[in-house]
Amino acid sequence: MKTYGPYYVWTRKIKGKTVTIALTDDQARIIRQAINRNRELEQRLDRLRSLSEQIIIAISPCVAKRKRAPKT
């Protein structure tokens, strides 16, 4: 009896076109690890950007925030 699946595919956009590539088990594992590392890196960069913004606001003179008038 012949077994089927699982099938691994990698789909991405290149110049506005969708490109799909069939992957082996090993390729899928490597790609999955790379995607996870990229997600972690993006999360760290987001935190760094947020901290940088907070530091810039804290150390630079800026216009004081105005208090909003209460809604009636």
Side-chain angles (χ1 to χ4, degrees), residues 8 17 31 34 43 45 48 54 61-62 64-65 71:
Y8 300 103
K17 301 277 185 174
I31 296 283
Q43 289 173 352
L45 286 171
L48 181 60
Q54 291 173 22
C62 59
K65 292 183 180 179
K71 292 184 179 180

Side-chain angles (χ1 to χ4, degrees), residues 3 8 10 12 14-15 20-21 24-25 29 35-36 41-45 47-48 54 59-60 62 66 69-70 72:
T3 60
Y8 300 103
W10 180 25
R12 59 198 168 116
I14 298 178
K15 296 183 182 178
T20 302
I21 300 172
T24 65
D25 291 342
R29 181 181 46 78
I35 290 170
N36 288 336
L41 176 61
E42 289 296 332
Q43 289 173 352
R44 289 178 182 181
L45 286 171
R47 286 193 300 258
L48 181 60
Q54 291 173 22
I59 65 172
S60 64
C62 59
R66 293 183 287 170
T72 56

